[in-house]
Amino acid sequence: MVLVLALGDLHIPHRAPDLPAKFKSMLVPGKIQHIICTGNLCIKEVHDYLKSLCPDMHVTRGEYDEDARYPETKTLTIGQFKLGLCHGHQVIPWGDLDSLAMLQRQLDVDILVTGHTHQFKAYKHEGGVVINPGSATGAYSSITYDVNPSFVLMDIDGLRVVVYVYELIDGEVKVDKIDFKKTATAHSAH
Amino acid sequence: MHGIQSLHVLKGPVREKEKREKERSELRDLVGKNLHVLSQIEGVDLDMYKDTVLPRVLEQVVNCKDELAQYYLMDCIIQVFPDEYHLQTLETLLGACPQLQSTVDIKTVLSQLMDRLSNYAASSAEVLPEFLQVEAFTKLSNAIGKVIEAQVDMPAVGAITLYVSLLTFTLRVHPDRLDYVDQVLGACVKKLSGKARLEDGKATKQIVALLSAPLEKYNDIVTALELSNYPRVMDYLDNATNKVMAVVIIQSIMKNNTYISTSDKVEALFELIKGLIKDLDGSPVDELDEEDFKEEQNSVARLIHMLYNDDPEEMLKIICTVRKHILTGGPKRLPFTVPPLIFSALKLVRQLQGQDGDVVGEDVPATPKKIFQLLHQTIEALSSVPAPELALRLYLQCAEAANDCDLEPVAYEFFTQAFILYEEEIADSKAQVTAIHLIIGTLQRMNIFGVENRDTLTHKATGYSAKLLKKPDQCRAVYACSHLFWVDDQDGMKDGERVILCLKRALRIANAAQQMANVTRGSNGPVTLFVEILNKYLYFFEKGNPQIYSAAIQDLVELIKTEMQGDMATPDPSANAFFASSLRYIQFQKQKGGIMGEKYESIKV
């Protein structure tokens, strides 16, 4: 069982002062093995805070990030799964699942995690799974109205990944989960 | 009693100093013990203490005229007898203070007394009425005033420490009496007035303690804002400490999740934290360490999100107040403070959008149009920094918001500003790539533009896309532009011709990139570009663009295969993987059957 925290679009301090208190109390150091962050943190303080939760942190560049050195895309392998990470402002039309699927094929990953729209999504198609963890602070988005703060926790176990989505709705944290199984005949690049 | 009198005798010049000290301290202990015993005697009740014991003891203390003894004994009295006794004899006890030797550290004595009484007050709510009954605050306040007046040479730190003790006392005993709290602060201001800003570190620390106490007690900055003397005390801090205090104030707000909800209170707050908002005289920003400065400004940025009222008129006033203040911050601060204000305003626009704005017969200053004007002017201020990339992003945000408000000219104007920045200020290649994608992405979502406006903007976007420095970047931006001509929702435009024109243009650029690579590096160039374009062909093919024929897709597939297998081909594993998964996708679609299967039938992979 490997726990991967996926979150992004915090937009601190441009659009939000901080993570919701209820989220902060849930995110305790030492419980998560990996953090993948879609971008738009935006400042070093946020980077350092996330790093304190888990040293294995991967971030891709959002268009408001202070640190210009984050990469545009990132791929990593966790267990049996290949994960791809990208903020998503580079994929036009924004939030378009078919265009995101193209990125997924391009990165050759089972799970693609992107953000930018601030809307939680977990979508399975023939090439794999596309996840958008939404905005962890519920930050304003020109694309999505009424954003609820949300983040995703993935539990990777063998060929199975359970995606837990945590959403703060009217002051309460609601959890939902989605199961994905990777077929054993997974394609290899070579 | 005799012991105290004896102390007086010991002051004779005949004895050696050391021996004198020893005997003094022995006698002190004896007297102290006596006092202690006195306090234990059952017969000494409050009345006896009040009428007999205390007056007599105090008489002796005053008469012995020995500063060390006096200090020790006052301290003893305070420690040894119960707090309720002190309350009831406050006037008498305090009355003795001015009569003591001028060198006695009376302020420490008074502080101790107040601390004891503070703790007594905290011990149970039942004793509080007693404090009111004996008018403890007034008496203590007066006593302190007299002591400070009498000891003209008392350093600032001494006076302030006294006021800190009195304030702690007041906050414990009379938390609801803001006027008392303000009075203490006022007395402090009076003591400090006429002097220059404090240089003494200890005194400064005490002032910070003085100012932090109400914040911690009330957990609500709004209460502190009502203390008229609060900002006046802050003015006596040196610039660096003033800023530290300002940060303490902000942290208190953030920690307590306090929202500040009127423009008047915002005005008062920004007065308090003005050290962070702008350069105070004589302290250029350069002096501050960069990291510290960033942290400071980021905390101001976070604060802006705590200024909120859900009444649009008041919220607009708040926004205007904040704007007024942050515009005095200068180019170093604007990049931090402008964005949160912009987004605050955009949230207000969205709120008004939902209201449909038909408030009959009233003069409604808060309209989206007005706010957009404000936004425009505020973003413009970033040109003084300069921060073109940030400004471009903010203009595009506003354009989208204007689109949602059906304000075509406003949206167009924001796009114009974005393009001007792109043309004139953004020279860095990497920055251009991001900027053009943001422009394309935003423009793709616009549904408000009439044909002419839309054509002008899409023409600009595609033009600039093709002019990016690196060919692969050109290629990607151009095929991204294809989406400008095809919007998936039901009323969206679907101009198949222009889509295919973009894709063909992208293909030409990819070809050119290939040739360039052949010539300059002697090897194949970016095959991956072709695979990307192939995927775009598939995208529009599936959407039903009549200009995309399956033959064209087949040709592309063959082209890629050829490129990959060619003589000069250097194996590119990621491009191979991408192509493989694209072919798998085509296969999958073919096998779907139905309409999709039919579409894909003629494509062989």
Side-chain angles (χ1 to χ4, degrees):
Chain A
M1 173 177 107
V2 177
L3 286 178
V4 183
L5 172 66
L7 80 175
D9 288 312
L10 294 91
H11 286 282
I12 296 171
H14 294 156
R15 305 189 200 184
D18 205 354
L19 273 168
K22 290 209 161 153
F23 281 0
K24 270 185 139 169
S25 60
M26 293 171 66
L27 296 172
V28 173
K31 296 233 175 116
I32 300 159
Q33 280 76 57
H34 307 276
I35 295 187
I36 56 180
C37 184
T38 54
N40 279 341
L41 299 180
C42 304
I43 51 179
K44 185 171 175 294
E45 281 171 42
V46 180
H47 180 111
D48 292 342
Y49 164 74
L50 292 176
K51 199 98 203 247
S52 76
L53 296 179
C54 162
D56 190 46
M57 183 170 115
H58 307 268
V59 191
T60 45
R61 193 182 68 94
E63 78 275 34
Y64 286 90
D65 275 311
E66 177 184 66
D67 191 341
R69 296 165 306 173
Y70 297 140
E72 299 286 316
T73 63
K74 202 155 196 203
T75 54
L76 59 152
T77 306
I78 296 177
Q80 300 287 330
F81 286 88
K82 282 191 279 187
L83 287 89
L85 187 62
C86 176
H87 177 251
H89 65 269
Q90 306 91 329
V91 180
I92 291 163
W94 291 333
D96 181 83
L97 288 167
D98 293 316
S99 300
L100 288 170
M102 167 176 138
L103 178 62
Q104 184 155 19
R105 291 191 279 275
Q106 187 168 6
L107 296 176
D108 190 32
V109 293
D110 305 304
I111 303 173
L112 176 67
V113 182
T114 62
H116 188 56
T117 62
H118 298 205
Q119 184 165 50
F120 163 73
K121 273 226 155 49
Y123 171 74
K124 181 167 169 59
H125 61 103
E126 112 324 319
V129 177
V130 177
I131 295 175
N132 185 332
S135 161
T137 54
Y140 171 92
S141 161
S142 57
I143 299 167
T144 308
Y145 281 46
D146 300 319
V147 181
N148 286 320
S150 67
F151 67 85
V152 156
L153 203 58
M154 290 186 276
D155 184 353
I156 295 179
D157 194 1
L159 291 173
R160 184 170 171 246
V161 58
V162 184
V163 176
Y164 296 93
V165 58
Y166 296 80
E167 225 180 324
L168 189 67
I169 303 176
D170 293 328
E172 292 302 317
V173 179
K174 303 246 155 65
V175 192
D176 213 343
K177 74 175 183 147
I178 309 161
D179 250 88
F180 293 109
K181 244 202 176 83
K182 181 171 159 165
T183 50
T185 57
H187 332 282
S188 148
H190 309 286
Chain B
M1 299 303 154
H2 296 292
I4 300 173
Q5 284 161 330
S6 310
L7 282 173
H8 178 59
V9 170
L10 289 172
K11 253 190 148 175
V14 179
R15 305 279 180 162
E16 294 162 19
K17 193 176 180 223
E18 255 183 36
K19 209 172 176 194
R20 197 168 67 203
E21 284 301 322
K22 184 163 175 273
E23 286 176 3
R24 226 187 207 169
S25 78
E26 278 172 5
L27 220 68
R28 269 204 305 252
D29 290 342
L30 183 61
V31 173
K33 272 201 196 105
N34 282 339
L35 279 176
H36 193 85
V37 167
L38 207 54
S39 75
Q40 304 289 333
I41 296 175
E42 257 185 54
V44 181
D45 62 358
L46 175 58
D47 284 324
M48 182 174 284
Y49 177 77
K50 202 160 118 181
D51 298 330
T52 314
V53 174
L54 185 62
R56 294 249 195 104
V57 171
L58 283 177
E59 205 187 312
Q60 298 303 325
V61 172
V62 170
N63 286 341
C64 86
K65 297 200 192 307
D66 178 311
E67 72 190 32
L68 290 172
Q70 283 183 334
Y71 175 82
Y72 174 74
L73 290 169
M74 288 299 288
D75 187 50
C76 222
I77 294 170
I78 291 168
Q79 301 300 337
V80 144
F81 290 99
D83 296 315
E84 44 194 322
Y85 283 21
H86 296 315
L87 253 184
Q88 295 299 331
T89 57
L90 208 47
E91 201 147 2
T92 316
L93 191 58
L94 293 174
C97 293
Q99 298 177 50
L100 300 174
Q101 299 297 99
S102 62
T103 42
V104 172
D105 185 12
I106 192 63
K107 58 185 185 326
T108 310
V109 172
L110 285 174
S111 289
Q112 302 238 19
L113 175 62
M114 283 187 283
D115 291 343
R116 276 195 72 93
L117 292 175
S118 292
N119 290 333
Y120 181 48
S123 66
S124 120
E126 287 161 12
V127 308
L128 290 177
E130 220 186 307
F131 281 83
L132 293 159
Q133 190 216 11
V134 305
E135 292 175 17
F137 173 79
T138 316
K139 291 191 176 129
L140 284 166
S141 180
N142 288 341
I144 292 172
K146 283 203 191 104
V147 166
I148 291 179
E149 231 178 295
Q151 296 187 11
V152 184
D153 295 329
M154 187 194 291
V157 60
I160 300 164
T161 311
L162 265 174
Y163 285 122
V164 173
S165 296
L166 182 58
L167 186 64
T168 311
F169 172 84
T170 314
L171 289 171
R172 283 265 180 89
V173 176
H174 303 288
D176 52 322
R177 295 295 299 262
L178 286 180
D179 56 330
Y180 281 175
V181 177
D182 209 15
Q183 208 179 307
V184 177
L185 294 176
C188 199
V189 170
K190 222 171 128 195
K191 171 68 186 168
L192 292 169
S193 72
K195 301 206 176 122
R197 292 247 186 94
L198 289 169
E199 300 293 312
D200 174 12
K202 285 198 193 131
T204 313
K205 245 178 133 181
Q206 285 300 324
I207 295 207
V208 173
L210 188 73
L211 293 171
S212 302
L215 290 180
E216 281 155 24
K217 173 73 188 178
Y218 296 118
N219 272 341
D220 176 8
I221 187 64
V222 179
T223 312
L225 289 176
E226 293 180 40
L227 301 165
S228 65
N229 287 310
Y230 199 96
R232 292 187 203 144
V233 176
M234 272 190 78
D235 279 339
Y236 282 98
L237 293 170
D238 62 282
N239 287 339
T241 318
N242 193 302
K243 288 203 277 186
V244 167
M245 197 59 223
V247 172
V248 168
I249 291 171
I250 295 180
Q251 281 171 349
S252 162
I253 296 171
M254 304 310 304
K255 187 181 75 147
N256 296 310
N257 221 23
T258 327
Y259 280 86
I260 291 129
S261 56
T262 68
S263 63
D264 289 334
K265 294 201 190 105
V266 171
E267 180 70 47
L269 175 62
F270 272 70
E271 249 310 297
L272 279 185
I273 62 172
K274 62 181 180 239
L276 298 178
I277 303 297
K278 59 185 173 194
D279 293 336
L280 297 173
D281 323 298
S283 70
V285 181
D286 309 313
E287 278 178 15
L288 191 55
D289 168 63
E290 202 191 310
E291 284 299 318
D292 290 340
F293 180 72
K294 270 191 191 169
E295 223 181 283
E296 200 187 88
Q297 293 305 309
N298 279 326
S299 66
V300 175
R302 292 189 208 227
L303 174 68
I304 291 175
H305 297 290
M306 308 307 289
L307 315 174
Y308 178 76
N309 191 316
D310 54 11
D311 169 48
E313 301 304 327
E314 193 61 42
M315 188 62 207
L316 184 57
K317 281 196 202 143
I318 290 175
I319 289 172
C320 290
T321 306
V322 175
R323 178 174 178 268
K324 181 186 73 177
H325 283 274
I326 66 177
L327 287 182
T328 62
K332 287 224 159 102
R333 295 188 177 84
L334 290 173
F336 296 92
T337 53
V338 166
L341 184 63
I342 299 299
F343 286 106
S344 241
L346 285 173
K347 280 194 217 167
L348 181 58
V349 167
R350 199 169 266 180
Q351 187 187 332
L352 290 170
Q353 209 180 307
Q355 279 176 10
D356 261 353
D358 43 2
V359 184
V360 179
E362 274 176 48
D363 178 30
V364 186
T367 60
K369 235 193 211 158
K370 266 225 161 68
I371 301 172
F372 282 124
Q373 284 166 2
L374 211 68
L375 284 166
H376 195 300
Q377 288 161 16
T378 312
I379 301 173
E380 234 172 24
L382 288 173
S383 61
S384 67
V385 177
E389 291 175 54
L390 177 59
L392 180 135
R393 283 149 177 69
L394 297 175
Y395 279 132
L396 291 176
Q397 290 284 336
C398 292
E400 247 186 294
N403 177 80
D404 292 352
C405 291
D406 292 332
L407 294 168
E408 186 180 356
V410 178
Y412 189 81
E413 170 60 19
F414 282 124
F415 263 101
T416 308
Q417 293 304 321
F419 270 116
I420 290 175
L421 284 173
Y422 182 87
E423 287 164 28
E424 296 178 7
E425 309 287 340
I426 300 179
D428 176 81
S429 323
K430 203 162 169 239
Q432 280 185 340
V433 174
T434 308
I436 203 64
H437 277 277
L438 293 174
I439 290 174
I440 298 167
T442 311
L443 189 51
Q444 195 269 340
R445 295 174 53 77
M446 299 284 102
N447 52 32
I448 196 69
F449 290 127
V451 174
E452 272 183 37
N453 279 342
R454 198 178 173 86
D455 276 349
T456 310
L457 296 175
T458 53
H459 181 77
K460 275 249 174 218
T462 29
Y464 284 127
S465 299
K467 286 212 205 77
L468 288 168
L469 180 63
K470 300 185 211 163
K471 293 238 175 279
D473 291 333
Q474 285 176 11
C475 180
R476 292 185 172 114
V478 168
Y479 75 58
C481 285
S482 65
H483 291 283
L484 291 174
F485 307 106
W486 194 280
V487 178
D488 223 6
D489 60 44
Q490 62 183 56
D491 326 309
M493 65 134 61
K494 291 181 176 63
D495 189 338
E497 265 302 338
R498 293 218 260 180
V499 167
I500 194 77
L501 281 174
C502 278
L503 295 182
K504 283 187 176 163
R505 198 172 179 184
L507 213 46
R508 282 198 300 276
I509 298 172
N511 270 319
Q514 274 287 34
Q515 281 165 20
M516 226 170 64
N518 282 339
V519 169
T520 56
R521 281 191 241 138
S523 67
N524 267 13
V527 196
T528 191
L529 286 177
F530 291 114
V531 186
E532 291 172 42
I533 298 170
L534 168 65
N535 275 268
K536 285 298 163 188
Y537 267 80
L538 295 175
Y539 178 97
F540 289 105
F541 182 61
E542 290 187 14
K543 299 283 180 199
N545 182 345
Q547 302 296 330
I548 299 194
Y549 303 104
S550 46
I553 295 176
Q554 192 74 61
D555 287 344
L556 249 183
V557 170
E558 299 310 321
L559 168 69
I560 297 168
K561 281 189 182 160
T562 314
E563 290 291 330
M564 281 181 166
Q565 291 156 6
D567 291 334
M568 296 199 283
T570 41
D572 181 350
S574 77
N576 289 344
F578 186 15
F579 188 45
S581 61
S582 306
L583 293 177
R584 268 198 310 276
Y585 174 73
I586 295 174
Q587 195 60 32
F588 183 79
Q589 296 296 76
K590 280 161 78 75
Q591 284 165 0
K592 254 187 179 164
I595 307 174
M596 199 57 79
E598 268 180 50
K599 257 194 203 299
Y600 275 92
E601 215 199 313
S602 51
I603 301 176
K604 314 269 179 283
V605 294

